[in-house]
């Protein structure tokens, strides 16, 4: 996109000055918070001397500015202020400013804002400039000392607490950090506390701060934190580096959580959990996000990003680390399948449409629009490939070197690749394309067998993406195993390294033609194109030793079938049903794995696959076909379902561990199928008997899925009315299970509900986001889904542009669909662009989605 306001990686220059120390004093007040800043500044020796000092600042009322105690009159503009070189000493000096801000009116939830009476901050990426005048860029790292004056009993900031008195606290963070890691919290909060002894024997005070009444829902988050701290010591040799680690739960938050140094701030839904209020999925997400934010202390905070183009440096690596952690805590097989499902649902989708961008983009208008699945999830996949290529030892050496060499620095992707090159001797030039080139490679596979030699032929294709018509060959680690026709493995997993557009690999000395298991563990983020018969898929589902490819074989069977049902009106033959029945009954398989196998491909996944295969997806057809598949599976498994459900009952009280969660997942999958044949009898009983949220929501979902559950919905609401996080589920479920032609109407009705507090991002997402996630409802031919989502995004945009822009990605798949739908989406996007005062955030998204 060409835009005058675009920022380009190629334009990077170090900042004109260095900030050695920052002292901040806050006097908190909802409408007139005073912020005094005292910056120890000196010219940056890496830049030419005698430069002006440009500070970022937005929405700040400047009260006072002084250089070395001498007051200056400076007129701020829209985005900051400039102190002319003539007014600055050419050596070190002290810059003092005082500004006034109004946190109460801050609905964008960026900078200093209020959430139900408490003060909190969100500074990543560029929120600090809404707090004080400052060079708000990650390569400016400084030590911070913060004094907080306020009426609330709990006053927190980064680092160690060094002094306090009635109505004030003082904090010192000894580690230089960029401004985006600054945080401040003030509120009437209660702590759930614990102590952690580090590897070297230091005691760290751990606190999770929540509203009074929520103290009893912190135990799982605390347990997750302690396990994360241990794991990072054991696996990466990384120890925590302050005397205190605080986590605060807030109800109004644009994202999941934020890794501010020593003071992580979390969306409360990713902290608070009890068996009664949180599902197994909630517990799993809490564990993963607590770990993710904690791991940022080294990958993000101690080593940060030079500029925002390097965002994947911290996010890709930290996602990779949290995925490893979850695999270690739970199950690597299940975690890998879940991660790939997510990657395909979000990142492949993004890469296939107008928003496709590189893991390291080269330009942006609004950086908040680049906290994407590509930066996070593809960023993590790229690291997984690096590791497969250099091996576990090489990876460990490279990471040690990374921490050694770059601790305390703001680094780049070049630095990152260089440690791999230096630690392993491997040239990274070609691999680097994974960072600079967008798009999901397609990998065509064919094979032949001659005498005793089996050969796999690969051909890669790197599709054009916006602004990148031509690409080079990618380095692809392709993990392969070979099976004998009797099911024995003749070649255990071997990583083939593909570096050319076409390449073949031969395996000699084979008595019979083997069955190949290709791309085991999803060893590279590509779309595999390979003509495989249904028999061979069923064979791999039964015999593959690689759990990912075993699951993938069943998945492919289901997708092939559904595609043929939708495009050719094919009937459901016994092949897929028998294969599923065998998996469902196979007691040797992990229940969580079986539950994943029984899950039908999502409608959006089918639409994506059909589009890639050159078909125009029909949302109503996919919806209907998928329902028929579910019904057929239910009828086939019906006789065995009650027994399966009974055998998975968990005696004793609820525990959130992976084993118990996996059993519940399979039990609820079976209950859902049973509901399709028993009229909901078993699900109604399960709802009444449920003593935990997993089963409560699970049973309710079964009923909603078959058009029942009105009474249970009312009971659910009566019971949970005052619990915001639980009520988000109540809103979302009704929309998720609405019939496609009623989805917009159900959503519309819920927006009239007195508890539809649309300024709260969680609630907005649970209603409007649920509609955009309802494939057949959102894409309904009436256009009602598009219209309602567009209307609400436009309403949210003036208040909270960041969340409005992120949720506008609902529209990014429009080029897949037919001309009528395309016209409706374009019209909606054009209407947005024609709206007066549309935010830079949403403008950039709409422009990119419309294309040039
Ligand atoms: N850095 C946060 C994370 O990945 C995400 C975030 C970005 C949160 C921007 C708030 C604002 O954990
Ligand atoms: Zn992160």
């Amino acid at each position: 996109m060409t835009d005058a306001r675009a920022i380009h990686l190629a334009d990077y220059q170090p900042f004109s000055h260095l900030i050695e120390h920052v002292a901040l004093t806050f006097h908190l007040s909802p409408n007139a918070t005073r912020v005094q800043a005292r910056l120890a500044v000196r010219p940056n020796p890496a830049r030419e001397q005698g430069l002006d000092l440009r500070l970022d600042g937005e929405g700040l009322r400047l009260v006072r500015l002084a250089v070395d105690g001498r007051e200056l009159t400076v007129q701020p503009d829209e985005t900051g202020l400039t102190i002319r070189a003539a007014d600055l000493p050419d050596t070190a000096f002290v810059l003092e400013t005082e500004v006034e801000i109004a946190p109460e009116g801050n609905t964008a939830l960026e900078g200093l804002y209020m959430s139900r009476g408490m003060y909190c901050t969100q500074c990543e990426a560029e929120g600090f400039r809404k707090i004080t005048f400052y060079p708000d860029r990650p390569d400016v790292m400084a030590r911070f000392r913060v004094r907080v004056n306020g009426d609330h009993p709990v006053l927190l900031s980064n680092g160690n607490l060094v002094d306090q008195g009635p109505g004030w606290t003082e904090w010192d963070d000894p580690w230089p950090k960029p401004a985006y890691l600054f945080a401040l919290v003030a509120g009437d909060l209660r702590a759930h506390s614990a102590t952690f002894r580090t590897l070297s024997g230091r005691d760290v005070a751990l606190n999770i701060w929540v509203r009074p009444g929520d103290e009893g829902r912190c135990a799982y988050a605390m347990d997750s934190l302690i396990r994360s701290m241990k794991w990072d010591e054991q696996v990466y040799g990384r120890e925590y580096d302050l005397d205190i680690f605080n986590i605060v739960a807030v109800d109004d938050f644009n994202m999941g959580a934020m890794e501010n140094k020593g003071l992580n701030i979390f969306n409360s839904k990713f902290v608070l959990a009890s068996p009664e209020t949180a599902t197994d999925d909630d517990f799993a997400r809490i564990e993963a996000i607590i770990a993710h934010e904690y791991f940022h202390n080294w990958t993000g905070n101690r080593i940060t990003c030079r500029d925002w183009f390097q965002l994947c440096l911290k996010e890709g690596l930290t996602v990779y680390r949290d995925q490893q952690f979850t695999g270690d805590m739970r199950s690597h097989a299940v975690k890998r399948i879940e991660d790939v499902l997510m990657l395909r649902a979000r990142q492949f989708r993004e890469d296939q449409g107008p928003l496709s961008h590189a893991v390291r983009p080269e330009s942006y208008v609004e950086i908040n629009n680049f906290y994407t699945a590509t930066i996070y999830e593809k960023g993590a996949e790229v690291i997984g490939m690096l590791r497969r290529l250099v091996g576990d030892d090489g990876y460990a050496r490279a990471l040690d070197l990374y921490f050694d060499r770059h601790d305390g620095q703001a680094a780049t992707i070049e630095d990152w690749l260089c440690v791999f090159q230096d630690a392993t001797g491997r040239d990274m030039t070609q691999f680097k394309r994974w960072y600079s080139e967008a798009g999901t490679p397609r990998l065509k596979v064919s094979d032949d067998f001659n005498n005793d030699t089996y050969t796999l032929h690969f051909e890669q294709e790197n599709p054009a993406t916006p602004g990148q018509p031509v690409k080079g060959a990618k380095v692809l680690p392709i993990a392969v195993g070979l099976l004998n026709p009797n099911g024995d493995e003749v070649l255990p997993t071997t990583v083939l390294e593909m570096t050319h557009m076409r390449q073949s690999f031969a395996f000699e000395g084979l008595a019979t033609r083997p069955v190949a298991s290709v791309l085991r563990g999803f060893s590279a983020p590509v779309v595999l194109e390979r003509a495989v018969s249904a028999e061979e898929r069923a064979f791999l589902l039964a015999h593959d030793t690689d759990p990912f490819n075993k699951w993938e074989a069943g998945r492919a069977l289901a997708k092939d079938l559904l595609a043929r049902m939708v495009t050719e009106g094919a009937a459901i033959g016994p092949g897929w049903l028998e294969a599923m029945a065998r998996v469902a009954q196979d007691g040797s398989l992990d229940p969580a794995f079986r539950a994943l196998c029984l899950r039908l491909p999502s409608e959006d996944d089918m639409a994506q696959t059909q589009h890639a295969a050159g078909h125009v997806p029909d949302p109503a057809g996919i919806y209907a076909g998928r329902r028929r598949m579910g019904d057929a599976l239910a009828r086939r498994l019906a006789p065995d379902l009650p027994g399966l459900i009974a055998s998975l009952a968990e005696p004793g009280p609820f525990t959130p561990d992976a084993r118990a969660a996996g059993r519940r997942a399979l039990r609820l999958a079976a209950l859902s199928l049973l509901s399709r044949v028993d009229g909901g009898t078993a699900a109604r009983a399960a709802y009444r008997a449920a003593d935990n949220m997993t089963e409560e929501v699970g049973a309710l979902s079964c009923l909603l899925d078959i058009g029942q559950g009105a009474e249970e919905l009312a009971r659910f609401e009566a019971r949970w009315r005052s619990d915001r996080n639980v009520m988000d589920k109540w809103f979302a479920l009704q929309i998720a299970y609405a019939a496609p032609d009623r989805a917009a109407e159900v959503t519309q009705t819920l927006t009239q509900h007195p508890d539809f507090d649309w300024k709260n991002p969680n609630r907005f997402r649970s209603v409007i986001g649920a509609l955009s996630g309802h494939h057949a409802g959102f894409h309904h031919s009436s256009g009602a889904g598009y219209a309602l989502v567009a209307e609400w995004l436009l309403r949210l945009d003036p208040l909270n542009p960041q969340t409005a822009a992120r949720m506008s990605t609902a529209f990014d798949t429009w080029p897949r669909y037919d001309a009528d739908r395309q016209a409706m989406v374009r019209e909606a996007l054009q209407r947005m662009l024609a709206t007066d005062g549309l935010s830079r955030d949403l403008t950039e998204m709409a422009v990119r989605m419309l294309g040039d």
Side-chain angles (χ1 to χ4, degrees):
M1 185 178 52
T2 47
D3 188 304
R5 293 170 303 181
I7 320 271
H8 299 273
L9 169 58
D11 293 343
Y12 174 82
Q13 279 206 308
F15 189 55
S16 60
H17 292 75
L18 303 177
I19 314 282
E20 307 220 279
H21 189 264
V22 181
L24 298 173
T25 303
F26 287 80
H27 292 272
L28 295 172
S29 158
N31 286 303
T33 290
R34 286 287 170 118
V35 186
Q36 295 158 340
R38 188 180 180 285
L39 314 183
V41 189
R42 68 184 170 94
N44 187 350
R47 284 291 305 271
E48 53 277 40
Q49 299 301 290
L51 295 172
D52 293 350
L53 176 59
R54 173 71 190 174
L55 301 178
D56 301 301
E58 278 173 24
L60 311 172
R61 189 171 76 76
L62 182 62
V63 178
R64 174 175 178 269
L65 184 150
V67 172
D68 281 340
R70 189 169 47 87
E71 292 206 17
L72 281 182
T73 313
V74 174
Q75 195 55 51
D77 54 50
E78 284 280 284
T79 61
L81 62 78
T82 303
I83 308 174
R84 283 172 300 114
D87 292 324
L88 295 171
D90 43 18
T91 53
F93 59 92
V94 171
L95 172 69
E96 291 167 277
T97 60
E98 180 167 346
V99 300
E100 191 178 284
I101 53 179
E104 195 171 53
N106 181 351
T107 57
L109 314 183
E110 201 182 40
L112 178 66
Y113 67 95
M114 301 196 74
S115 171
R116 296 212 288 151
M118 75 193 254
Y119 292 87
C120 56
T121 55
Q122 174 50 47
C123 293
E124 188 177 4
E126 298 180 332
F128 193 67
R129 63 188 62 186
K130 296 179 165 187
I131 294 175
T132 192
F133 287 102
Y134 197 77
D136 190 6
R137 40 186 288 167
D139 59 343
V140 174
M141 299 173 80
R143 278 177 300 120
F144 281 64
R145 192 172 179 100
V146 180
R147 186 180 166 107
V148 190
N149 300 282
D151 301 332
H152 287 102
V154 176
L155 306 168
L156 306 172
S157 191
N158 316 88
N160 296 318
L161 178 64
V162 287
D163 204 358
Q164 61 182 319
W168 63 274
T169 56
E170 200 159 320
W171 298 81
D172 188 71
D173 183 355
W175 303 103
K177 67 167 175 291
Y180 81 85
L181 292 173
F182 168 81
L184 177 152
V185 169
D188 179 13
L189 302 171
R190 301 287 184 276
H192 175 105
S193 304
T195 307
F196 181 80
R197 176 153 302 168
T198 70
L199 199 61
S200 66
R202 281 183 308 104
D203 281 337
V204 181
L206 311 178
N207 302 298
I208 298 180
W209 297 94
V210 297
R211 293 179 177 283
D214 286 339
E215 306 91 312
R217 295 189 193 171
C218 302
Y220 191 73
M222 182 60 87
D223 179 55
S224 303
L225 174 61
I226 291 170
R227 284 184 284 116
S228 306
M229 294 178 85
K230 273 207 191 90
W231 186 90
D232 214 15
E233 291 181 343
Q234 287 167 352
V235 179
Y236 280 83
R238 298 294 116 201
E239 188 174 331
Y240 187 62
D241 54 3
L242 292 167
D243 304 334
I244 183 167
F245 188 76
N246 285 316
I247 289 176
V248 181
V250 304
D251 290 325
D252 297 275
F253 201 74
N254 283 334
M255 306 279 277
M258 179 63 210
E259 69 265 23
N260 316 298
K261 183 79 190 189
L263 178 53
N264 288 1
I265 297 184
F266 271 63
N267 187 323
S268 58
K269 77 182 226 194
F270 297 124
V271 175
L272 303 177
S274 66
E276 297 72 42
T277 58
T279 62
D280 287 320
D281 288 345
D282 292 328
F283 280 102
R285 271 189 287 266
I286 289 169
E287 178 181 75
I289 297 177
I290 292 270
H292 179 97
E293 305 312 329
Y294 175 72
F295 296 157
H296 267 315
N297 191 56
W298 274 96
T299 52
N301 302 3
R302 288 287 287 259
I303 304 179
T304 192
C305 304
R306 188 193 71 174
D307 53 68
W308 292 119
F309 296 102
Q310 324 293 331
L311 184 56
C312 65
L313 181 75
K314 76 177 175 82
E315 295 305 347
L317 178 54
T318 305
V319 170
Y320 181 72
R321 276 151 50 72
D322 84 51
Q323 291 175 346
Q324 270 186 293
F325 169 77
T326 301
D328 284 354
M329 295 294 122
R330 291 169 177 254
S331 147
H332 284 282
V334 168
K335 177 62 174 162
R336 187 63 187 143
I337 294 165
E338 286 172 344
D339 287 341
V340 174
L341 275 167
M342 237 261 275
L343 183 79
R344 286 174 172 158
R346 298 183 51 222
Q347 201 279 324
F348 281 22
R349 163 181 166 145
E350 185 168 78
D351 239 358
Q352 213 181 67
L355 297 178
S356 174
H357 59 273
V359 173
R360 186 174 70 176
E362 260 144 46
S363 78
Y364 60 78
V365 173
E366 172 51 63
I367 185 58
N368 283 331
N369 288 335
F370 284 83
Y371 287 77
T372 60
T374 296
I375 308 282
Y376 277 67
E377 271 75 40
K378 188 174 177 182
E381 290 300 318
V382 169
I383 293 174
M385 284 190 286
L386 260 178
R387 183 180 188 153
R388 256 165 238 124
L389 291 168
V390 303
D392 293 354
D393 284 359
Y395 179 79
R397 273 183 280 121
L399 268 283
D400 285 346
L401 182 58
Y402 180 63
F403 291 121
D404 248 31
R405 189 184 279 178
H406 295 294
D407 185 14
Q409 295 179 3
T412 62
I413 289 303
E414 282 73 17
D415 295 329
W416 165 252
L417 290 174
C418 192
V419 299
F420 278 82
Q421 193 148 329
D422 292 350
T424 67
R426 195 190 162 91
D427 181 74
M428 291 292 158
T429 316
Q430 188 184 359
F431 189 82
K432 197 177 171 190
R433 288 182 185 149
W434 278 109
Y435 286 97
S436 59
E437 293 182 355
T440 308
R442 309 185 73 81
L443 184 61
K444 294 201 177 109
V445 189
S446 59
D447 59 356
D448 56 51
F449 184 66
N450 284 315
N451 301 323
D452 66 346
T453 302
Y454 178 72
T455 309
L456 280 167
H457 306 283
F458 296 98
E459 184 179 346
Q460 59 170 297
E461 206 178 275
N462 293 283
T465 51
Q468 288 189 329
V470 195
K471 295 162 185 174
K474 298 277 195 307
V475 183
L476 299 177
I478 306 171
V480 169
L482 299 179
L483 305 177
N484 253 344
N486 68 10
D488 293 341
E489 194 163 70
V490 285
L491 176 79
T493 303
T494 303
V495 178
L496 310 176
E497 198 177 317
M498 182 176 186
T499 53
H500 295 98
M501 295 305 281
R502 290 159 175 272
Q503 225 165 317
S504 298
F505 298 87
F507 306 90
E508 289 163 10
L510 296 163
T512 47
R513 184 188 184 102
V515 176
S517 166
V518 180
L519 207 68
R520 283 185 159 178
F522 204 62
S523 59
V526 301
V527 174
L528 205 57
E529 288 179 6
R530 184 176 177 217
V532 180
S533 67
E535 291 68 36
E536 191 166 318
R537 295 212 196 281
F539 174 87
L540 287 169
L541 174 61
H543 300 291
D544 205 325
T545 56
D546 180 70
F548 177 83
N549 265 6
K550 187 179 176 74
W551 168 82
E552 179 85 321
R555 182 83 173 171
L557 265 183
K559 286 178 76 168
D560 289 350
L561 171 59
L562 183 50
R564 282 190 293 106
M565 288 168 69
V566 176
T567 54
E568 306 159 19
I572 302 172
W576 173 70
L577 290 172
E578 294 315 313
M580 285 298 109
R582 272 194 299 277
V583 170
Q585 250 96 273
D586 186 346
S588 73
L589 296 172
D590 176 3
F593 178 85
R594 286 146 79 192
L596 281 171
C597 289
L598 290 177
R599 205 194 281 176
L600 298 181
S602 77
E603 294 160 48
D604 193 72
D605 184 4
M606 280 313 296
Q608 182 185 115
T609 306
Q610 285 202 289
H611 170 68
H615 297 285
V616 175
D618 165 24
I622 293 173
Y623 177 86
R626 192 171 175 276
R627 287 214 63 96
R628 272 192 285 131
M629 279 179 84
D631 289 342
L633 187 59
R635 282 193 303 272
R636 167 62 185 85
L637 296 181
D640 304 310
L641 291 171
L644 181 61
I645 291 170
S647 74
L648 291 161
E650 281 287 285
F654 178 96
T655 56
D657 57 281
R659 196 200 68 92
R663 292 170 64 89
R664 277 187 292 272
L666 182 55
R667 205 149 79 91
L668 288 167
L671 185 66
S672 169
L673 291 168
L674 183 58
S675 303
R676 297 214 180 178
V677 291
D678 83 343
T681 310
R684 263 189 302 279
Y687 185 83
R688 275 195 300 276
D691 65 353
N692 61 76
M693 186 50 68
T694 305
E695 282 169 347
E696 198 170 332
V697 158
L700 178 57
S701 301
C702 293
L703 293 169
L704 296 174
D705 184 49
I706 56 167
Q708 301 189 21
E711 193 192 314
E712 285 77 9
L713 265 180
R715 280 186 18 218
F716 191 102
E717 183 185 15
R719 175 161 184 215
W720 297 113
R721 181 136 216 177
S722 62
D723 190 306
R724 297 155 74 102
N725 291 328
V726 177
M727 280 301 282
D728 284 337
K729 301 181 195 302
W730 181 84
F731 278 95
L733 278 174
Q734 300 176 62
I735 299 166
Y737 287 98
D741 59 346
R742 293 209 54 237
E745 183 192 326
V746 170
T747 308
Q748 166 74 36
T749 306
L750 286 172
T751 61
Q752 248 104 70
H753 191 283
D755 291 334
F756 179 58
D757 171 11
W758 60 274
K759 294 171 189 169
N760 173 266
N762 288 359
R763 187 56 49 87
F764 191 94
R765 281 187 283 258
S766 72
V767 176
I768 306 304
L771 178 57
S772 36
H774 187 313
H775 184 261
F778 180 60
H779 294 288
H780 191 261
S781 55
S782 66
Y786 298 150
L788 193 61
V789 172
E791 176 194 327
W792 277 99
L793 292 180
L794 278 174
R795 193 177 304 192
L796 183 62
D797 185 58
L799 277 75
N800 187 337
Q802 192 181 324
T803 292
R806 179 152 304 116
M807 292 185 65
S808 74
T809 55
F811 290 103
D812 79 335
T813 55
W814 69 269
R816 288 179 188 164
Y817 298 96
D818 55 86
D820 285 348
R821 286 183 172 86
Q822 291 194 359
M824 288 190 281
V825 174
R826 295 173 75 106
E827 197 270 327
L829 294 172
Q830 273 151 359
R831 189 152 26 89
M832 285 182 199
L833 287 175
T835 304
D836 270 350
L838 195 74
S839 68
R840 177 177 57 199
D841 309 56
L842 193 47
T843 303
E844 182 187 26
M845 295 303 282
V847 167
R848 286 170 62 207
M849 284 191 279
L850 282 167
D852 287 325

